[in-house]
Amino acid sequence: MSRLDLVTKSLRQNDPEFTGNALDETLRTMLNAIWDYRYFIVTSVQADFRSRVARSRLGFLWLVIAPLAQIVTYAFVLSSIMSQRLPGIENKFSYALYLMAGFQGWLLFVEIMTRNLGVFIENGNVLKKISFPRIALPLVVVISSIINNLIFFVVLLAVFLLTGFPVGLNLLWLPVLLVVNAALAAGIGVTLGVLNVFMRDIGQVVPIVIQFLFWMTPIVYVKDILPPAFQSIIRINPLYWLVENYHRIMVYDQRPDFAVLGILFLIAVVFIGLGLFLFRKASPEMVDVL
């Protein structure tokens, strides 16, 4: 029996009202359901982290080793090309720090979106056996991903300090970016996750789109090196604006562009609304399809 099964069994024993009817057509009822099953959500987040580091000697270090290895690879290959193209930054590690700031935002978005893409399919057996608020599954992904991203941030902050890079007060705006980032990723992820249950081709297409978006986002390069026409094209990408704000507060010590963040948050709200609408409509048929 999986850990998630054990959690739900425990909830059944401790809460006789544990049913799947807690979610109805109103957002207030959905929030109440989330609160009622907070123990399930918290325990599931804990189980998620334990499963990642199970039988691992390095434990939680693996949560940051892989992304750091990716950053080091790009920094080693491209630092000689890009190090002179970061105006206003007087630090020999400037390009590596620029990479870290970009990946801080990119990794959170990709983890939340891709994990929510398959969250209902991966938990199909649990959905068939136990009745519970299914919206809790994406919420567990979001919380777990945010904690993982904060762990990664602590490591990056230590690197910034060790390299002598000044950390400004504008870094305090990071929670605002985190909220906008997580909301946008969750909205898109849940929308695609519901559709993926019924159209599995979506799960094959999304990784290709993510690769395309990665190179359409100024993470491993500075936008100023691109031709003006191409700069106009990549500005269509919402992740361009999101990552640019990570660079603003973490590398250039500037306040985020609140107008841009407001637009991104509105886009996130639209996707969250669409995802919840599709979820409510498709929820009764999900178990049968899975």
Side-chain angles (χ1 to χ4, degrees):
M1 180 178 294
S2 68
R3 185 176 295 274
L4 188 55
D5 288 335
L6 292 174
V7 171
T8 50
K9 181 179 179 181
S10 174
L11 283 172
R12 270 184 157 179
Q13 294 172 347
N14 297 327
D15 185 2
E17 300 299 321
F18 185 72
T19 69
N21 298 321
L23 292 174
D24 64 11
E25 298 298 320
T26 66
L27 181 59
R28 178 180 297 179
T29 304
M30 181 175 293
L31 293 176
N32 288 337
I34 291 174
W35 175 252
D36 290 340
Y37 294 96
R38 60 192 182 276
Y39 175 75
F40 169 80
I41 294 171
V42 171
T43 308
S44 296
V45 171
Q46 295 173 345
D48 180 71
F49 274 94
R50 292 193 187 100
S51 66
R52 294 192 194 188
V53 299
R55 300 180 182 179
S56 171
R57 292 180 180 272
L58 295 181
F60 287 104
L61 287 177
W62 285 115
L63 300 178
V64 296
I65 289 177
L68 281 178
Q70 189 175 9
I71 292 172
V72 169
T73 301
Y74 281 115
F76 178 77
V77 174
L78 300 175
S79 59
S80 60
I81 300 174
M82 296 297 303
S83 59
Q84 304 302 320
R85 300 183 182 271
L86 295 174
I89 303 179
E90 302 296 333
N91 189 298
K92 63 180 180 179
F93 302 105
S94 60
Y95 177 62
L97 301 178
Y98 180 88
L99 275 176
M100 292 178 183
F103 272 104
Q104 176 72 28
W106 172 261
L107 292 174
L108 177 62
F109 178 86
V110 171
E111 181 175 1
I112 292 177
M113 191 191 72
T114 55
R115 291 187 63 191
N116 274 318
L117 176 66
V119 69
F120 300 115
I121 296 176
E122 293 171 2
N123 291 280
N125 290 332
V126 177
L127 293 174
K128 293 177 182 179
K129 296 176 182 177
I130 306 295
S131 294
F132 66 99
R134 296 165 188 169
I135 199 63
L137 294 176
L139 187 59
V140 169
V141 169
V142 171
I143 296 174
S144 177
S145 300
I146 288 176
I147 295 174
N148 188 24
N149 193 251
L150 291 176
I151 295 173
F152 185 66
F153 170 73
V154 171
V155 175
L156 295 194
L157 184 61
V159 173
F160 272 54
L161 295 175
L162 290 174
T163 56
F165 189 82
V167 178
L169 291 178
N170 283 304
L171 191 63
L172 296 176
W173 291 109
L174 184 65
V176 177
L177 297 187
L178 189 148
V179 170
V180 174
N181 193 349
L184 182 62
I188 297 174
V190 171
T191 300
L192 295 177
V194 174
L195 295 175
N196 191 36
V197 173
F198 303 93
M199 297 178 289
R200 300 298 173 91
D201 290 341
I202 292 177
Q204 304 298 322
V205 172
V206 169
I208 299 174
V209 175
I210 288 176
Q211 286 294 322
F212 177 75
L213 288 177
F214 177 81
W215 293 106
M216 291 287 288
T217 307
I219 299 174
V220 300
Y221 60 85
V222 181
K223 66 179 186 300
D224 296 335
I225 70 172
L226 301 174
F230 197 75
Q231 290 187 36
S232 300
I233 293 175
I234 67 173
R235 284 189 174 94
I236 301 174
N237 174 18
L239 296 183
Y240 164 89
W241 301 103
L242 184 65
V243 170
E244 277 290 279
N245 275 283
Y246 274 90
H247 287 145
R248 285 172 67 98
I249 69 170
M250 295 183 69
V251 179
Y252 297 105
D253 192 24
Q254 299 175 359
R255 295 180 65 184
D257 189 331
F258 293 106
V260 167
L261 292 182
I263 294 173
L264 290 176
F265 188 73
L266 288 177
I267 295 174
V269 170
V270 170
F271 272 105
I272 290 174
L274 177 60
L276 292 178
F277 173 79
L278 293 176
F279 176 81
R280 291 172 185 171
K281 291 294 184 180
S283 185
E285 289 79 25
M286 272 188 180
V287 175
D288 294 334
V289 173
L290 293 171

